[in-house]
Amino acid sequence: MCDHCGCREYPPIAELSADHVEILALAEDLATATRLRTPIDAAGRDRLRSLLEVHAAKEEVGLYPLLIAQMGEHADTYSHLEEEHRDIARAIGAGCFEHHAFYALQRHIEEEEEILFSSALFWFDGDTWDDLEAVHRGLVSSPTDVG
Ligand SMILES: [Fe+2]
Ligand SMILES: [Fe+2]
């Protein structure tokens, strides 16, 4: 986590970080229930699915393309992360969210927090932060519009 670098002072990054904390907590419960073969908390799993859907959209519509634009990167720079979003959602939907899926999720989040968030802090200006904020607000107020 990047408590030391100040990125949590930027509301959109603080919001993505808070999503990560909740996603990891819910996913850990699901992975534990899967491993122990105990009944899955269906409400927790449903909350995780909807949270992941909106969170992935925030990143795919906001953070990733804004980083690509600001840094002049290739359009497919973060396509592996988008593919991982699909893999995580598939594993949860299929009811086979085991410990290796949880570790993959942890690694995904670590890459975002350590590499992408620090890049955003370095490259984003006031307009970019406003754009990212607008993407987040649009998605949170109308999550059913997310494709
Ligand atoms: Fe992500
Ligand atoms: Fe994320």
Side-chain angles (χ1 to χ4, degrees), residues 103-126:
Y103 296 144
L105 175 62
Q106 278 182 316
R107 199 215 51 76
H108 175 98
I109 286 176
E110 211 169 275
E111 178 176 350
E112 289 176 342
E113 297 200 346
E114 290 183 5
I115 300 173
L116 281 71
F117 289 6
S118 346
S119 298
L121 287 183
F122 188 80
W123 290 92
F124 285 11
D125 56 21

mmCIF file of all heavy atoms in Angstrom, residues 103-126:
data_model
loop_
_atom_site.group_PDB
_atom_site.id
_atom_site.type_symbol
_atom_site.label_atom_id
_atom_site.label_comp_id
_atom_site.label_asym_id
_atom_site.label_seq_id
_atom_site.Cartn_x
_atom_site.Cartn_y
_atom_site.Cartn_z
ATOM 1 N N TYR A 103 -4.662 -14.811 -4.777
ATOM 2 C CA TYR A 103 -3.294 -14.285 -4.919
ATOM 3 C C TYR A 103 -3.167 -13.470 -6.205
ATOM 4 O O TYR A 103 -2.489 -12.449 -6.241
ATOM 5 C CB TYR A 103 -2.248 -15.412 -4.909
ATOM 6 C CG TYR A 103 -2.181 -16.166 -3.609
ATOM 7 C CD1 TYR A 103 -1.926 -17.531 -3.572
ATOM 8 C CD2 TYR A 103 -2.394 -15.514 -2.386
ATOM 9 C CE1 TYR A 103 -1.881 -18.239 -2.373
ATOM 10 C CE2 TYR A 103 -2.365 -16.204 -1.184
ATOM 11 C CZ TYR A 103 -2.102 -17.566 -1.183
ATOM 12 O OH TYR A 103 -2.076 -18.260 -0.001
ATOM 13 N N ALA A 104 -3.804 -13.929 -7.274
ATOM 14 C CA ALA A 104 -3.771 -13.195 -8.543
ATOM 15 C C ALA A 104 -4.427 -11.820 -8.375
ATOM 16 O O ALA A 104 -3.943 -10.816 -8.909
ATOM 17 C CB ALA A 104 -4.470 -13.997 -9.636
ATOM 18 N N LEU A 105 -5.512 -11.785 -7.609
ATOM 19 C CA LEU A 105 -6.185 -10.509 -7.338
ATOM 20 C C LEU A 105 -5.275 -9.580 -6.520
ATOM 21 O O LEU A 105 -5.160 -8.389 -6.820
ATOM 22 C CB LEU A 105 -7.499 -10.774 -6.585
ATOM 23 C CG LEU A 105 -8.281 -9.544 -6.101
ATOM 24 C CD1 LEU A 105 -8.718 -8.674 -7.277
ATOM 25 C CD2 LEU A 105 -9.511 -9.976 -5.284
ATOM 26 N N GLN A 106 -4.602 -10.138 -5.521
ATOM 27 C CA GLN A 106 -3.666 -9.331 -4.719
ATOM 28 C C GLN A 106 -2.559 -8.750 -5.588
ATOM 29 O O GLN A 106 -2.196 -7.588 -5.456
ATOM 30 C CB GLN A 106 -3.008 -10.201 -3.637
ATOM 31 C CG GLN A 106 -3.835 -10.395 -2.393
ATOM 32 C CD GLN A 106 -3.076 -11.224 -1.364
ATOM 33 O OE1 GLN A 106 -2.457 -12.230 -1.699
ATOM 34 N NE2 GLN A 106 -3.134 -10.813 -0.113
ATOM 35 N N ARG A 107 -2.030 -9.585 -6.512
ATOM 36 C CA ARG A 107 -0.932 -9.141 -7.369
ATOM 37 C C ARG A 107 -1.406 -8.038 -8.319
ATOM 38 O O ARG A 107 -0.700 -7.061 -8.569
ATOM 39 C CB ARG A 107 -0.376 -10.341 -8.162
ATOM 40 C CG ARG A 107 1.002 -10.131 -8.724
ATOM 41 C CD ARG A 107 1.163 -10.823 -10.064
ATOM 42 N NE ARG A 107 0.097 -10.479 -10.999
ATOM 43 C CZ ARG A 107 0.011 -9.328 -11.655
ATOM 44 N NH1 ARG A 107 0.936 -8.401 -11.483
ATOM 45 N NH2 ARG A 107 -0.992 -9.088 -12.480
ATOM 46 N N HIS A 108 -2.622 -8.203 -8.832
ATOM 47 C CA HIS A 108 -3.239 -7.211 -9.719
ATOM 48 C C HIS A 108 -3.340 -5.855 -8.998
ATOM 49 O O HIS A 108 -2.944 -4.817 -9.543
ATOM 50 C CB HIS A 108 -4.633 -7.725 -10.116
ATOM 51 C CG HIS A 108 -5.454 -6.778 -10.936
ATOM 52 N ND1 HIS A 108 -5.546 -6.866 -12.314
ATOM 53 C CD2 HIS A 108 -6.225 -5.719 -10.571
ATOM 54 C CE1 HIS A 108 -6.341 -5.886 -12.745
ATOM 55 N NE2 HIS A 108 -6.766 -5.178 -11.713
ATOM 56 N N ILE A 109 -3.847 -5.880 -7.788
ATOM 57 C CA ILE A 109 -4.038 -4.651 -7.015
ATOM 58 C C ILE A 109 -2.694 -4.021 -6.651
ATOM 59 O O ILE A 109 -2.530 -2.798 -6.698
ATOM 60 C CB ILE A 109 -4.906 -4.948 -5.767
ATOM 61 C CG1 ILE A 109 -6.366 -5.155 -6.211
ATOM 62 C CG2 ILE A 109 -4.784 -3.846 -4.720
ATOM 63 C CD1 ILE A 109 -7.331 -5.539 -5.118
ATOM 64 N N GLU A 110 -1.716 -4.874 -6.337
ATOM 65 C CA GLU A 110 -0.379 -4.369 -6.001
ATOM 66 C C GLU A 110 0.230 -3.627 -7.195
ATOM 67 O O GLU A 110 0.822 -2.561 -7.043
ATOM 68 C CB GLU A 110 0.505 -5.556 -5.632
ATOM 69 C CG GLU A 110 1.581 -5.262 -4.628
ATOM 70 C CD GLU A 110 2.195 -6.565 -4.157
ATOM 71 O OE1 GLU A 110 1.625 -7.167 -3.228
ATOM 72 O OE2 GLU A 110 3.213 -6.980 -4.738
ATOM 73 N N GLU A 111 0.068 -4.201 -8.388
ATOM 74 C CA GLU A 111 0.595 -3.544 -9.599
ATOM 75 C C GLU A 111 -0.073 -2.183 -9.787
ATOM 76 O O GLU A 111 0.592 -1.186 -10.088
ATOM 77 C CB GLU A 111 0.371 -4.438 -10.824
ATOM 78 C CG GLU A 111 0.856 -3.797 -12.125
ATOM 79 C CD GLU A 111 0.725 -4.715 -13.345
ATOM 80 O OE1 GLU A 111 0.439 -5.929 -13.177
ATOM 81 O OE2 GLU A 111 0.911 -4.224 -14.473
ATOM 82 N N GLU A 112 -1.394 -2.137 -9.596
ATOM 83 C CA GLU A 112 -2.100 -0.861 -9.763
ATOM 84 C C GLU A 112 -1.637 0.174 -8.744
ATOM 85 O O GLU A 112 -1.371 1.329 -9.088
ATOM 86 C CB GLU A 112 -3.611 -1.078 -9.635
ATOM 87 C CG GLU A 112 -4.175 -1.817 -10.827
ATOM 88 C CD GLU A 112 -5.643 -2.151 -10.703
ATOM 89 O OE1 GLU A 112 -6.188 -2.126 -9.570
ATOM 90 O OE2 GLU A 112 -6.255 -2.467 -11.731
ATOM 91 N N GLU A 113 -1.536 -0.257 -7.493
ATOM 92 C CA GLU A 113 -1.207 0.721 -6.451
ATOM 93 C C GLU A 113 0.242 1.177 -6.549
ATOM 94 O O GLU A 113 0.543 2.357 -6.354
ATOM 95 C CB GLU A 113 -1.511 0.131 -5.072
ATOM 96 C CG GLU A 113 -3.008 -0.157 -4.911
ATOM 97 C CD GLU A 113 -3.469 -0.281 -3.463
ATOM 98 O OE1 GLU A 113 -2.609 -0.401 -2.575
ATOM 99 O OE2 GLU A 113 -4.692 -0.263 -3.239
ATOM 100 N N GLU A 114 1.148 0.245 -6.843
ATOM 101 C CA GLU A 114 2.564 0.620 -6.829
ATOM 102 C C GLU A 114 3.015 1.281 -8.122
ATOM 103 O O GLU A 114 3.873 2.156 -8.102
ATOM 104 C CB GLU A 114 3.427 -0.605 -6.520
ATOM 105 C CG GLU A 114 3.222 -1.027 -5.070
ATOM 106 C CD GLU A 114 4.084 -2.194 -4.655
ATOM 107 O OE1 GLU A 114 4.929 -2.632 -5.470
ATOM 108 O OE2 GLU A 114 3.910 -2.664 -3.526
ATOM 109 N N ILE A 115 2.459 0.857 -9.243
ATOM 110 C CA ILE A 115 2.945 1.399 -10.526
ATOM 111 C C ILE A 115 1.983 2.448 -11.089
ATOM 112 O O ILE A 115 2.378 3.571 -11.383
ATOM 113 C CB ILE A 115 3.176 0.263 -11.542
ATOM 114 C CG1 ILE A 115 4.231 -0.697 -10.967
ATOM 115 C CG2 ILE A 115 3.626 0.831 -12.890
ATOM 116 C CD1 ILE A 115 4.454 -1.940 -11.758
ATOM 117 N N LEU A 116 0.683 2.091 -11.221
ATOM 118 C CA LEU A 116 -0.238 3.013 -11.895
ATOM 119 C C LEU A 116 -0.569 4.235 -11.032
ATOM 120 O O LEU A 116 -0.603 5.354 -11.537
ATOM 121 C CB LEU A 116 -1.521 2.281 -12.305
ATOM 122 C CG LEU A 116 -1.402 1.419 -13.578
ATOM 123 C CD1 LEU A 116 -0.570 0.185 -13.374
ATOM 124 C CD2 LEU A 116 -2.764 1.056 -14.113
ATOM 125 N N PHE A 117 -0.813 4.011 -9.748
ATOM 126 C CA PHE A 117 -1.156 5.152 -8.901
ATOM 127 C C PHE A 117 0.022 6.122 -8.821
ATOM 128 O O PHE A 117 -0.167 7.343 -8.875
ATOM 129 C CB PHE A 117 -1.549 4.706 -7.488
ATOM 130 C CG PHE A 117 -2.884 3.991 -7.389
ATOM 131 C CD1 PHE A 117 -3.622 3.665 -8.526
ATOM 132 C CD2 PHE A 117 -3.411 3.641 -6.150
ATOM 133 C CE1 PHE A 117 -4.840 2.997 -8.428
ATOM 134 C CE2 PHE A 117 -4.622 2.977 -6.042
ATOM 135 C CZ PHE A 117 -5.337 2.650 -7.178
ATOM 136 N N SER A 118 1.239 5.600 -8.692
ATOM 137 C CA SER A 118 2.395 6.514 -8.628
ATOM 138 C C SER A 118 2.578 7.245 -9.942
ATOM 139 O O SER A 118 2.978 8.418 -9.949
ATOM 140 C CB SER A 118 3.694 5.785 -8.284
ATOM 141 O OG SER A 118 3.479 4.516 -7.816
ATOM 142 N N SER A 119 2.293 6.575 -11.068
ATOM 143 C CA SER A 119 2.397 7.253 -12.363
ATOM 144 C C SER A 119 1.367 8.373 -12.463
ATOM 145 O O SER A 119 1.651 9.460 -12.974
ATOM 146 C CB SER A 119 2.162 6.267 -13.517
ATOM 147 O OG SER A 119 3.150 5.274 -13.500
ATOM 148 N N ALA A 120 0.153 8.104 -11.956
ATOM 149 C CA ALA A 120 -0.890 9.130 -12.005
ATOM 150 C C ALA A 120 -0.458 10.357 -11.196
ATOM 151 O O ALA A 120 -0.632 11.497 -11.645
ATOM 152 C CB ALA A 120 -2.211 8.563 -11.464
ATOM 153 N N LEU A 121 0.125 10.112 -10.028
ATOM 154 C CA LEU A 121 0.574 11.234 -9.190
ATOM 155 C C LEU A 121 1.595 12.087 -9.913
ATOM 156 O O LEU A 121 1.632 13.305 -9.781
ATOM 157 C CB LEU A 121 1.217 10.707 -7.902
ATOM 158 C CG LEU A 121 0.265 10.142 -6.875
ATOM 159 C CD1 LEU A 121 1.026 9.734 -5.634
ATOM 160 C CD2 LEU A 121 -0.782 11.176 -6.529
ATOM 161 N N PHE A 122 2.435 11.420 -10.691
ATOM 162 C CA PHE A 122 3.499 12.134 -11.381
ATOM 163 C C PHE A 122 2.993 12.856 -12.628
ATOM 164 O O PHE A 122 3.387 13.990 -12.911
ATOM 165 C CB PHE A 122 4.621 11.150 -11.750
ATOM 166 C CG PHE A 122 5.845 11.819 -12.284
ATOM 167 C CD1 PHE A 122 6.768 12.395 -11.420
ATOM 168 C CD2 PHE A 122 6.069 11.915 -13.659
ATOM 169 C CE1 PHE A 122 7.897 13.036 -11.907
ATOM 170 C CE2 PHE A 122 7.198 12.558 -14.159
ATOM 171 C CZ PHE A 122 8.114 13.117 -13.276
ATOM 172 N N TRP A 123 2.090 12.210 -13.389
ATOM 173 C CA TRP A 123 1.707 12.707 -14.711
ATOM 174 C C TRP A 123 0.416 13.513 -14.761
ATOM 175 O O TRP A 123 0.193 14.262 -15.709
ATOM 176 C CB TRP A 123 1.599 11.540 -15.699
ATOM 177 C CG TRP A 123 2.918 10.945 -16.049
ATOM 178 C CD1 TRP A 123 3.540 9.887 -15.430
ATOM 179 C CD2 TRP A 123 3.812 11.371 -17.092
ATOM 180 N NE1 TRP A 123 4.752 9.644 -16.024
ATOM 181 C CE2 TRP A 123 4.944 10.524 -17.042
ATOM 182 C CE3 TRP A 123 3.764 12.383 -18.053
ATOM 183 C CZ2 TRP A 123 6.018 10.669 -17.922
ATOM 184 C CZ3 TRP A 123 4.821 12.514 -18.932
ATOM 185 C CH2 TRP A 123 5.940 11.668 -18.862
ATOM 186 N N PHE A 124 -0.494 13.314 -13.819
ATOM 187 C CA PHE A 124 -1.798 13.969 -13.915
ATOM 188 C C PHE A 124 -1.719 15.419 -13.449
ATOM 189 O O PHE A 124 -1.047 15.735 -12.466
ATOM 190 C CB PHE A 124 -2.852 13.231 -13.065
ATOM 191 C CG PHE A 124 -3.333 11.932 -13.669
ATOM 192 C CD1 PHE A 124 -2.687 11.359 -14.756
ATOM 193 C CD2 PHE A 124 -4.432 11.255 -13.132
ATOM 194 C CE1 PHE A 124 -3.122 10.140 -15.309
ATOM 195 C CE2 PHE A 124 -4.871 10.048 -13.678
ATOM 196 C CZ PHE A 124 -4.221 9.502 -14.761
ATOM 197 N N ASP A 125 -2.450 16.281 -14.186
ATOM 198 C CA ASP A 125 -2.564 17.667 -13.737
ATOM 199 C C ASP A 125 -4.017 17.903 -13.271
ATOM 200 O O ASP A 125 -4.804 16.960 -13.220
ATOM 201 C CB ASP A 125 -2.159 18.630 -14.860
ATOM 202 C CG ASP A 125 -2.970 18.428 -16.134
ATOM 203 O OD1 ASP A 125 -4.087 17.844 -16.053
ATOM 204 O OD2 ASP A 125 -2.515 18.844 -17.219
ATOM 205 N N GLY A 126 -4.353 19.149 -12.961
ATOM 206 C CA GLY A 126 -5.679 19.441 -12.429
ATOM 207 C C GLY A 126 -6.801 18.968 -13.340
ATOM 208 O O GLY A 126 -7.793 18.398 -12.869
#
